[in-house]
Amino acid sequence: MSLGRCSFTPVTDVGIGAIELYFPQNYVEQSDLEEYNNIPSGKYTIGLGQQQMGFCSDNEDVVSISLTVTRQLLQTYKIPTDSIGCLVVGTETMIDKSKSVKTALMDLFPDNSDIEGVDIKNACFGGAQALLHAIDWVTVNHPVDKKNAIVVIADIAIYEDGPARCTGGAGAIAFLICPNATIPIDRQFSACHMKNTWDFFKPITATASEYPVVDGSLSLASYLEAVRQTYTHFMEKVARHVTGIDGLNSFDAVFFHSPFTKMVQKGLAVMNYTDSHLRHKDQNGNGVENKLDANDRAGMTRMIELSSEVWKNKTDPYLVFNRRIGNMYTPSLFAQLLAYLASDKCTTEEHNILFFAYGSGLASAIFPGRVRQTPNLEKIRDVAKQCIKRLDSRQQFSAEEFTKTLKKRENFLHSNEFPKVPKTSSESSLFPNTYFLDNMDELYRRTYTLHEEPTKVLSNGNGIHH
């Protein structure tokens, strides 16, 4: 007997068949942060293009928000837990140097231990790589036993007191990956640009910290270089295998990783400019107006002008979560997909979309997808619309209260009193049906509880209480 001789029917249109988004109930207005930090009005709101910033108190961490969004996905779409054969987590928010977030999520699958996958980490790129890995897994494995995959993309982005603190955020997205998906990802055309840089990193130091080390100017330059290089690789690959593709004109929407929305606008400007150069190369390989430099203020201003129509029609309308929650790290890119699905743009026919994923250090990729008119599309669109409505149900904090909350997180991390118990109560800081960090024992083992209305706390012995 040779297992290699077994034949199975290949699957098609593998991609996203269901989506859920979680973001914290707490937020602060960027205009309040401007005043609190005594900086010119408009620096955050106009200069960075941000309106609000979501944040977690000391009773939420990457595991709690991942548990919440995964449970939401399973319940909202009535996904049988025994139908999942792979679960991959993309995150850079580390609470343990060995034990993956995925292991905690297994408590949501008590009768199914045959679930492949662990965590994938590289700054904000881990979520994109987790998605591509799950697509590969379903493509290979679904023909064998009809199992699907789940991808969880979650991060809490916070910065030390200083100029970068306003670029934080928090959120989690969960995808069901399956064949005949509503949003297939054309995996075969993904292209990458990878490089060793030190624009943003989180070293292990003598004192535990959630805060990264950031080189702001290098980070911006690295992001824009990645856009140009990755898009060039992508278009060259497409040209080798497909006819009739006309650059960005072939896509109905273009999504970017979003540290802040003005960064996205610059990224689109570079992509659009690169597109024009590739489209209009002369016989000597020179592009039209090929003297603009993205790192030069005048050059970037001109690139933005040239891309204004593309920005207005294909990217800007879908940054609602990014403007109002902030930089969610790995989920930032895919939050734009939810905003697009909530719009009226994808109610008829099939639509082509393009993703640019980026993570400092440096890893980047571009891959195309489609939105198909499947029976599940209306359900997905309803979830996306409800997520937008939920933005208005959050609790506003003052800039001073926000600062004190981040201090609570520092105190919890550095406390030597055990068990460690967060100072924030679940009733005052969480949406209903949200997991929260209950305590940490003397061995640094974390226990989580589901905040319900009314709250029911019964131990199941697995580290999670219901």
Side-chain angles (χ1 to χ4, degrees), residues 243-304:
T243 59
I245 298 295
D246 186 22
L248 294 180
N249 293 330
S250 298
F251 298 95
D252 299 284
V254 186
F255 311 133
F256 288 75
H257 168 59
S258 179
F260 48 87
T261 59
K262 278 301 176 71
M263 180 85 97
V264 173
Q265 187 173 23
K266 291 179 179 181
L268 178 69
V270 170
M271 185 179 290
N272 181 74
Y273 185 69
T274 304
D275 199 26
S276 298
H277 172 53
L278 293 171
R279 189 184 294 114
H280 298 111
K281 276 185 179 179
D282 61 24
Q283 60 183 356
N284 296 318
N286 298 314
V288 175
E289 212 175 344
N290 193 35
K291 295 182 180 179
L292 299 182
D293 182 357
N295 297 311
D296 172 71
R297 184 182 295 271
M300 175 52 69
T301 299
R302 178 58 179 153
M303 287 185 184
I304 289 174

Side-chain angles (χ1 to χ4, degrees), residues 114-406:
D114 187 11
I115 300 180
E116 190 177 317
V118 288
D119 295 1
I120 296 177
K121 173 179 71 73
N122 188 91
C124 305
F125 186 76
Q129 191 63 62
L131 173 66
L132 297 176
H133 174 78
I135 290 169
D136 292 343
W137 189 93
V138 170
T139 300
V140 171
N141 289 278
H142 190 278
V144 179
D145 59 7
K146 312 305 180 189
K147 294 289 183 73
N148 296 322
I150 287 177
V151 174
V152 178
I153 303 171
D155 273 307
I156 297 173
I158 51 177
Y159 295 80
E160 64 183 343
D161 193 18
R165 175 157 280 188
C166 61
T167 61
I173 291 177
F175 296 131
L176 175 71
I177 307 301
C178 60
N180 303 313
T182 300
I183 307 156
I185 302 298
D186 294 320
R187 174 73 171 93
Q188 66 272 30
F189 294 116
S190 63
C192 298
H193 171 64
M194 306 281 176
K195 186 178 180 180
N196 181 22
T197 65
W198 292 92
D199 55 322
F200 171 109
F201 54 102
K202 296 178 179 177
I204 297 174
T205 59
T207 303
S209 174
E210 293 188 289
Y211 304 137
V213 177
V214 185
D215 183 331
S217 58
L218 178 58
S219 181
L220 174 60
S222 298
Y223 181 98
L224 298 180
E225 176 194 355
V227 171
R228 179 178 60 82
Q229 293 276 21
T230 312
Y231 187 71
T232 300
H233 295 329
F234 169 72
M235 288 305 300
E236 289 173 348
K237 178 179 283 191
V238 168
R240 290 195 297 268
H241 303 287
V242 181
T243 59
I245 298 295
D246 186 22
L248 294 180
N249 293 330
S250 298
F251 298 95
D252 299 284
V254 186
F255 311 133
F256 288 75
H257 168 59
S258 179
F260 48 87
T261 59
K262 278 301 176 71
M263 180 85 97
V264 173
Q265 187 173 23
K266 291 179 179 181
L268 178 69
V270 170
M271 185 179 290
N272 181 74
Y273 185 69
T274 304
D275 199 26
S276 298
H277 172 53
L278 293 171
R279 189 184 294 114
H280 298 111
K281 276 185 179 179
D282 61 24
Q283 60 183 356
N284 296 318
N286 298 314
V288 175
E289 212 175 344
N290 193 35
K291 295 182 180 179
L292 299 182
D293 182 357
N295 297 311
D296 172 71
R297 184 182 295 271
M300 175 52 69
T301 299
R302 178 58 179 153
M303 287 185 184
I304 289 174
E305 290 174 356
L306 293 170
S307 64
S308 59
E309 285 301 308
V310 182
W311 168 252
K312 182 175 68 175
N313 295 319
K314 298 186 179 183
T315 301
D316 182 51
Y318 313 118
L319 290 164
V320 56
F321 293 111
N322 305 90
R323 286 191 173 95
R324 297 187 63 183
I325 300 174
N327 185 5
M328 295 169 274
Y329 286 163
T330 51
S332 290
L333 166 64
F334 301 102
Q336 292 156 59
L337 172 61
L338 273 136
Y340 179 71
L341 292 165
S343 73
D344 295 329
K345 289 292 184 71
C346 56
T347 55
T348 59
E349 302 178 347
E350 183 170 290
H351 296 259
N352 296 316
I353 53 181
L354 192 66
F355 299 85
F356 169 72
Y358 177 84
S360 294
L362 162 168
S364 61
I366 285 178
F367 46 92
R370 291 168 284 133
V371 179
R372 300 169 62 230
Q373 299 299 311
T374 66
N376 206 37
L377 177 58
E378 279 308 306
K379 176 66 174 178
I380 294 174
R381 294 190 69 239
D382 181 63
V383 168
K385 291 175 184 178
Q386 290 301 318
C387 288
I388 291 179
K389 288 182 180 180
R390 196 162 68 244
L391 288 169
D392 295 326
S393 300
R394 294 176 298 167
Q395 178 180 353
Q396 182 179 347
F397 282 64
S398 69
E400 184 177 8
E401 290 170 329
F402 161 70
T403 303
K404 289 180 178 178
T405 300
L406 292 198

